[in-house]
Structures are given as C-alpha cells and as structure tokens.
Amino acid sequence: MNKQEAQLEISRLTKALNHHNYLYYVESNPEISDYEFDQMLKQLQDLEQQFPDLADDNSPTKRVGGDITKKFESVKHRFPMLSLSNSYSQEEVIDWVERIKKTIDSKLEFVCELKYDGVAIGIQYINGSFFRALTRGDGVSGEDITTNVKTIRSIPLTLHGDFPPDFEIRGEIFMPLASFQKLNAQREDIGEVTFANPRNTASGTLKLQDSKLVAERNLDSYLYAVYSEYRTVSTHMESIHNAGKWGFKVPKESERLIEKVDSIEGIMGFIQYWDEQRVHLPFEIDGVVIKVNSYEDQQKLGMTAKSPRWAIAYKFKTERVETILESVDFQVGRTGAITPVANLTPVQLGGTTVKRASLHNADQIEKLDLHLGDSVYVEKGGEIIPKIVGVNLEKRGEVDNKIVFLETCPACGTPLKREEGEAQHFCTNDLYCPPQVKGKIEHFIGRKAMNIDGLGAETVDLLYENELVRNAADLYELKFDDLLKLNRMAEKSANNILKGIEASKEVPFDKVLFAIGIRFVGETVAKKLARYFKTIDQLMEATFEELIQVEEIGDKIAQSIIDHFNRKENRAIIDRLKLHGVQFEMVQSVMESATLSGSTFVISGVFNAFSRDEIKTLIENNGGKIASSISSKTNFLVAGDNMGPAKLKKAEDLGVPILSEDELLLMLKQNA
C-alpha cells in the first residue's frame, strides 16, 4: 500500500470507528460486534505505525491511552468557568425565581437538569476536532488534561453536522457506580485501600499521569452547555439539542434527565421526582440545576463575581443522624492492613439500622479529633457506606478519651508500619499474625479462588484454633480423624470437606495463582500472568523487566510478585502444594479458540452439564466476555433452569438472543 492509498484507508477507518463509537457509547445502539470494532481499530493502529506522519492527534487509537503526562499545564479559560450558587431549600429556589421576575418582564422558561456528582470539564473544539480539555481550576484558569479526557469514549474526538468553527462545550465527567464498585472489588482483592466515593475517584483518575490507566477506569460524561462567539440559537435548550446532533452525549428529555418548564410548580415537580428517583440512576447526582432558558434573558440578568444570576443549584439534603461513638475496633485484614471501625449506638439511617461505620485510617481519626463517648454525625458516603462526618462538640464532656491510633498490631503485637505514600498502617507479621493467616486461608478457599466446598470462615477458625492449619498447604494434609475431633463436626461434613479439597486439585492455574494471595495480584492480573508465563516456575524466576512486559503489570505489581517469591517460606508452600497435585501449569482447553470474540454474554439460572463458573470459563476461553446484567450491549443470554423472570423479560424486550446450555455448546462446536 502506498502513502496515498494509506491516507484514504486511514480516513475511511477513522470515520467508521468514530461512527460506531458514537452508536455504542452515546446512543447505546451498536451495529457491529466488539470483535469487529477491535479488528478495525487494529487495522488503523497498524497503518499509523507504518505511516506515522499520517496519524492524527484525534485518531480513535488515542482512546486506549498510553501517553505519560509529567505535568498538567495551567491554561486560562476563554470564558470564565464560574460555580453555581447553591440552595438547600425549595423556598430559596422560589425566592430566586421571584428575583428574576423583577428583571425579566416577558414570559419566563426554565431548563431543569441533573447536578451530576463528578468533575466539571470544558472542552474546546476547532473545526469539529477535539482541541483541548480544561478542569474548572479557580474559574479563571484550569489544568490541561486533554490526553486523559480523550480516553473517555462518550466524548467525541471529531464532530458531524453544522457546528460552529470554534466553541467550547462544558459538562461533567463522572464514574458510573458499576465501574466504581468493580474498581473497589479489584482493589479489595489485591489488598489495596478501597476508594471512598465515585466523585473523588473520578477526580483522582483525571489527574493520573498514565492515560492508559485512565482509559481502564471507564469514566463517562454528560455535556450540556455550549459557549461560542458564533451563537446561532436563542435558547439553552436549543443549544443542547444541537450538541446532541453534533455527536455529544447530552441529557435527553425522553429519559427526563432534562426538562423545560415555565412555572415554579414545574421546577418543584422535577426536583421532587429526582429526589425520589435518584437511587435508581447508574451514577450519582447531588441535586438539580435550574437555568433560565433564554440567552437574551441570561444576558440581562448577568453575573455576580462568583456565579451567574440566571442559574441556581438545588442540592438534595444528605440524610444525617446523630448518635454516640461507643468504641473503636481495629481490624486486621489478610494483607495486614489495619482498619479502624467505629461502634455506634444503633440509629436509623436511610432505611437501615446503622451500628458501625468505617473510620478508614489514622488520618481520618486525627482529622475528626474523635473521643470515646462523642456525639457524632453519621451520613451514608456515596449512598452506600456509613461514615462519621463530624462531632457535636457542644455535647463533649471534659474527660479526655481521645482516640489514638495503635502502634502495634491488636492481634499479634508486632509494631505497625506505614510506608511513605500509604494511607494505612500494616502489620508485617504476615506468616504468624492470626487474622492474616486465617484471612489468607479464607481467600484461598473462596468461590473465585479454589472454591472448596464445605469450608467456610467458621471452619477455618476451628482448624486454626486446633493447630491443624497454618497455611494453605496444610489443608491438603488434613485427615478424616482430625476433622472429627473438631467441635460440632459430623462424619458427613468431614467427608464433604475432604472431597472439596480433593476436587480443588483440578482448579486451573490462573485461579490457583489468584488464590495464593500475592498482594496486588487480583483475579484479572492472575489470569494474564498465568497465560503469559504458563507455569509457576517460569513466573517465580521472572525478572522485573520480564514481568512489566505483561499487559496491565506495572512496577508496583511486578515488585510485589518478586518480593513474594523471594521469601523461602512462600516457595516452601508452593512446593508442598505441587506435591499434593495442585495445578501450577496452564492446561490447553479442548475447547479454546477465538470463536466467541466480540460477543458479550450474560449467564443466568442452573445448568446440567456445567456449573455457572464452568460456563463462564468456557465462554472466556473462547474469546467471549461476561457481563452481570442485560443491556442493549448484550449479544446472548445463556439461560439455565430457574432463571429469574425479570431477566428473561428484559432480554425479550431488548431482542437479546437466548441460548440454552446445549445451544451454546453447539455454537462452539460448529465454529471450532
């Protein structure tokens, strides 16, 4: 292919990829499979590598990230990026409307929108191409985070339609709840501190220096305000409609994410609706924004030094209760992380009884200046996790019961260590500290790891207290008579445990590697390591340079793996597990191919020939992806017995093909 032909092909692929990206991430209505999209993207990447001078700064290949930013430059906003004035009562909103009526004689229209709990962003487009993205900053200047924002797939890199030659669009970047929960589950798996809430996580993500990591976080956005010297419409609502036509993800009236009203009653109806319905949204909001619709009216109303007079934010009240801090427990996790937990006088909050609240770490305790017996204010952080947000100092007694973070492990007495840059303190006695030992064994036997039936946390406690196990390898040396001696252990239970341990010898290498519990090696990372190195011996001998060649393996994970296998005690456990027949090599599946590449499956119900986990592995081994819930992006629902009627109805409503277990196997055989 010569250069001219390459230029034409790059143009064709770019146009097609931008079109399909818009259909998938903005319209939720894909026309091609993920596999077809990825193949087109690979073709474009290959051409750009072959002809680097033809690669465009806004190429779809920029979506995957990879650029490293050492410093975010401060850039002055062309249009001041002011904050909105906030109100916390409907009376304040009514007063705001009445003040506007004193200035505007004509009939007023208002646009009601959601107040997304994310990060404000302003993006400039020149001749329909993404040019620059700035944070709010101080409202006068913001940080240039262009490279990171380009990885967000719901934000277009090039536009279509009749757009101004130079304009800025503003909106909010946020982390969907599903992405936040998935990220925290991954961090929990690898022994890292979980993030507090989606908003702070989104903000931190946008400041990451490695744009590839940003791309992996699955941030999303809504854009809803156009600023330009080339104004062709007279109202805010018209500009949003136009932005949607140009390719932006904008709030839709059909989903009631935005609504035009002409009365206080209309505004209050929108506020009341979302105060009740916000719990059903897949992202967080903290209120509603009301704007005067007419640009002419906005101009008449003008600005204050800090905010526009033509807009106001109504913030939902965060439910807060007051209760007594009775005591603080310091829990030791399987990685040695020490987590302080507050014990509270039980109180009703958000429909549930709250008795405990996380205090996160020593810094949080110090910041709150907590004392035993304090009357504390408790909220639900991110609508999910109870947290202490303050102290009622007026009720504090004179007795000094200040809570001081521990200096030694509460379980084994080992001095705690806090590494520079770490938020948490750790107990380093990982081989002998009882909660760590038991936690590692519980992790090893878990459903996503060795999946040993008959064993649970209570049984692990019994085994530990009776000095029968001190590490995972000890499980494979348990005898029937040993188990029968345990309190409340019957013959049937003992047999089930031994059968479960024996069956775990067939668990594949990637799950065994996850089960071992190397810090920072979660389920996904374990799978990539197992497929790359094939055997535990090759992995144990891998150098730092070899490890970081593996996809998703950074410096921290690589060093953690090396540190783990440098300890003779850990190698001794591996040797013992090998002797007992545990799988430490990748076994090529009889049915392993790329047959299902590009297809997303949801699995539901009970199956005959395979367990649900085996069905999942079968699909993944053949290139398919697993999703937990049905959406327009689902390609197939694999349905077993006793599947929930709601899931079945949703699949039928969306036209998702439904496969039985036999039909899935037939699909694999026919395409093998």
Side-chain angles (χ1 to χ4, degrees):
M1 183 180 292
N2 62 37
K3 192 169 183 177
Q4 188 176 7
E5 291 170 334
Q7 191 167 18
L8 289 171
E9 184 63 3
I10 285 173
S11 177
R12 183 191 71 81
L13 287 168
T14 297
K15 186 176 180 181
L17 285 164
N18 283 335
H19 171 69
H20 290 299
N21 186 84
Y22 172 78
L23 291 177
Y24 191 100
Y25 289 99
V26 179
E27 293 294 320
S28 299
N29 186 29
E31 289 181 345
I32 62 173
S33 68
D34 290 352
Y35 176 74
E36 290 172 295
F37 186 92
D38 291 343
Q39 290 298 106
M40 288 170 65
L41 189 64
K42 188 176 185 308
Q43 289 176 45
L44 182 57
Q45 285 173 322
D46 291 344
L47 282 171
E48 288 178 347
Q49 287 176 2
Q50 191 177 349
F51 301 94
D53 56 322
L54 297 180
D56 190 272
D57 286 343
N58 288 325
S59 166
T61 58
K62 300 294 182 185
R63 296 288 194 188
V64 297
D67 295 334
I68 304 295
T69 304
K70 293 297 182 185
K71 182 182 178 183
F72 297 107
E73 182 187 356
S74 180
V75 178
K76 187 174 181 180
H77 291 295
R78 293 192 303 162
F79 308 95
M81 203 168 180
L82 304 180
S83 300
L84 296 178
S85 58
N86 291 325
S87 71
Y88 293 88
S89 72
Q90 295 186 9
E91 289 75 18
E92 289 178 352
V93 175
I94 293 169
D95 289 344
W96 173 76
V97 173
E98 293 302 325
R99 285 198 304 273
I100 287 174
K101 285 181 177 179
K102 291 176 183 177
T103 304
I104 307 299
D105 296 328
S106 56
K107 184 174 174 59
L108 279 167
E109 286 184 336
F110 301 94
V111 176
C112 300
E113 306 170 7
L114 302 184
K115 188 175 184 299
Y116 304 93
D117 198 10
V119 180
I121 195 74
I123 310 171
Q124 184 181 1
Y125 286 78
I126 298 177
N127 296 323
S129 292
F130 188 118
F131 177 67
R132 179 185 284 143
L134 301 179
T135 62
R136 184 194 303 281
D138 62 4
V140 177
S141 299
E143 289 184 298
D144 186 339
I145 55 170
T146 298
T147 302
N148 286 345
V149 173
K150 280 185 176 181
T151 67
I152 301 172
R153 294 180 181 270
S154 55
I155 295 176
L157 299 178
T158 58
L159 307 179
H160 50 260
D162 186 18
F163 44 78
D166 186 355
F167 72 96
E168 183 177 330
I169 190 164
R170 291 177 179 173
E172 204 88 3
I173 291 172
F174 56 86
M175 178 167 278
L177 289 169
S179 299
F180 176 69
Q181 289 156 5
K182 181 181 178 182
L183 180 62
N184 264 351
Q186 290 170 344
R187 292 177 70 83
E188 205 166 19
D189 274 345
I190 61 180
E192 284 213 312
V193 181
T194 55
F195 291 123
N197 57 64
R199 192 234 171 264
N200 290 352
T201 310
S203 179
T205 297
L206 287 170
K207 296 294 182 68
L208 290 173
Q209 293 183 339
D210 187 348
S211 61
K212 185 177 180 182
L213 293 177
V214 181
E216 292 168 359
R217 294 278 178 92
N218 296 315
L219 297 177
D220 204 346
S221 71
Y222 274 105
L223 299 167
Y224 44 70
V226 177
Y227 290 78
S228 174
E229 296 170 358
Y230 306 89
R231 184 158 283 166
T232 57
V233 295
S234 60
T235 67
H236 173 61
M237 188 64 105
E238 286 177 286
S239 74
I240 291 178
H241 288 160
N242 281 346
K245 293 174 185 175
W246 301 336
F248 292 108
K249 183 175 181 179
V250 298
K252 294 180 179 178
E253 291 168 279
S254 59
E255 298 169 356
R256 208 178 176 183
L257 300 181
I258 188 169
E259 195 165 272
K260 185 170 71 174
V261 300
D262 59 7
S263 66
I264 289 174
E265 291 74 22
I267 293 171
M268 294 308 161
F270 190 84
I271 288 173
Q272 186 176 351
Y273 177 82
W274 282 113
D275 198 5
E276 296 171 358
Q277 296 299 317
R278 59 184 163 131
V279 294
H280 302 301
L281 287 168
F283 48 81
E284 289 194 335
I285 63 171
D286 59 357
V288 163
V289 175
I290 307 108
K291 300 173 183 174
V292 172
N293 190 27
S294 164
Y295 284 143
E296 184 181 343
D297 291 344
Q298 287 184 11
Q299 197 167 3
K300 287 179 184 175
L301 291 163
M303 310 270 189
T304 68
K306 295 182 178 179
S307 58
R309 290 192 178 93
W310 44 263
I312 193 170
Y314 173 84
K315 297 197 78 170
F316 296 130
K317 289 187 178 72
T318 302
E319 189 176 356
R320 173 185 288 194
V321 293
E322 188 174 343
T323 187
I324 303 298
L325 173 60
E326 296 182 346
S327 62
V328 175
D329 293 335
F330 290 87
Q331 298 179 341
V332 186
R334 71 173 175 88
T335 64
I338 309 296
T339 304
V341 178
N343 296 305
L344 309 169
T345 301
V347 63
Q348 284 291 311
L349 176 63
T352 59
T353 301
V354 173
K355 300 177 183 178
R356 290 158 71 81
S358 174
L359 290 171
H360 300 296
N361 51 52
D363 292 343
Q364 184 72 3
I365 290 175
E366 187 64 30
K367 179 182 176 183
L368 291 166
D369 185 31
L370 291 173
H371 290 59
L372 291 179
D374 271 343
S375 284
V376 294
Y377 300 114
V378 182
E379 293 178 358
K380 280 199 171 182
E383 307 287 339
I384 303 166
I385 305 165
K387 62 179 180 180
I388 294 175
V389 295
V391 178
N392 186 342
L393 295 175
E394 293 179 0
K395 294 185 179 180
R396 176 176 287 171
E398 294 182 7
V399 181
D400 186 13
N401 290 319
K402 185 177 172 67
I403 296 167
V404 179
F405 204 89
L406 299 179
E407 293 183 357
T408 59
C409 175
C412 69
T414 301
L416 299 180
K417 187 176 181 181
R418 182 178 181 179
E419 298 284 355
E420 187 177 348
E422 292 267 13
Q424 285 187 296
H425 289 72
F426 284 84
C427 169
T428 57
N429 183 25
D430 61 316
L431 293 175
Y432 303 105
C433 179
Q436 291 190 67
V437 171
K438 290 187 280 188
K440 286 177 181 177
I441 296 170
E442 287 170 24
H443 174 76
F444 184 85
I445 66 177
R447 186 176 60 82
K448 292 183 177 180
M450 302 303 283
N451 194 26
I452 299 178
D453 286 338
L455 276 177
E458 288 185 9
T459 308
V460 170
D461 273 340
L462 280 173
L463 293 170
Y464 183 87
E465 298 304 328
N466 285 272
E467 300 184 0
L468 292 173
V469 296
R470 285 295 181 267
N471 57 57
D474 291 340
L475 292 170
Y476 294 86
E477 294 168 8
L478 289 172
K479 302 291 189 291
F480 181 75
D481 290 342
D482 293 333
L483 293 173
L484 277 186
K485 294 174 186 174
L486 298 176
N487 188 30
R488 299 191 305 276
M489 180 65 69
E491 288 188 14
K492 184 177 180 181
S493 298
N495 276 319
N496 285 341
I497 289 171
L498 293 174
K499 284 179 184 176
I501 292 169
E502 186 65 27
S504 73
K505 296 176 183 178
E506 302 302 317
V507 168
F509 175 36
D510 61 305
K511 288 185 177 291
V512 176
L513 185 56
F514 171 60
I516 289 169
I518 303 170
R519 194 175 181 205
F520 306 133
V521 176
E523 198 177 357
T524 302
V525 169
K527 194 173 290 186
K528 290 183 183 296
L529 287 168
R531 288 178 177 173
Y532 188 91
F533 289 103
K534 308 298 184 189
T535 71
I536 192 69
D537 292 328
Q538 290 191 55
L539 175 60
M540 287 195 296
E541 300 307 319
T543 64
F544 182 87
E545 288 71 23
E546 288 170 334
L547 286 164
I548 61 175
Q549 293 302 312
V550 184
E551 185 185 2
E552 290 190 25
I553 308 302
D555 294 1
K556 188 163 64 171
I557 298 175
Q559 192 58 54
S560 178
I561 293 166
I562 289 170
D563 291 344
H564 185 89
F565 291 124
N566 275 346
R567 298 183 68 178
K568 65 179 188 292
E569 295 92 346
N570 291 332
R571 284 182 174 255
I573 291 171
I574 298 293
D575 289 340
R576 288 174 61 202
L577 290 171
K578 279 184 183 177
L579 287 173
H580 289 295
V582 174
Q583 297 293 320
F584 281 108
E585 293 185 12
M586 283 296 286
V587 179
Q588 184 73 14
S589 171
V590 176
M591 297 181 74
E592 190 167 295
S593 67
T595 299
L596 305 180
S597 287
S599 295
T600 299
F601 293 76
V602 171
I603 304 166
S604 185
V606 180
F607 300 92
N608 298 317
F610 297 93
S611 69
R612 285 178 64 166
D613 279 347
E614 286 171 334
I615 292 276
K616 177 181 174 181
T617 301
L618 194 62
I619 289 169
E620 289 180 332
N621 283 348
N622 286 276
K625 295 179 182 177
I626 305 296
S628 58
S629 59
I630 295 170
S631 71
S632 58
K633 298 172 186 176
T634 307
N635 298 105
F636 297 99
L637 168 65
V638 184
D641 297 332
N642 302 322
M643 187 182 74
K647 195 166 276 189
L648 181 62
K649 184 178 186 305
K650 189 166 185 181
E652 290 170 345
D653 290 344
L654 291 173
V656 175
I658 300 170
L659 301 175
S660 66
E661 184 179 12
D662 291 338
E663 286 169 333
L664 174 65
L665 296 175
L666 185 62
M667 176 190 287
L668 289 167
K669 288 176 183 176
Q670 287 176 340
N671 292 291

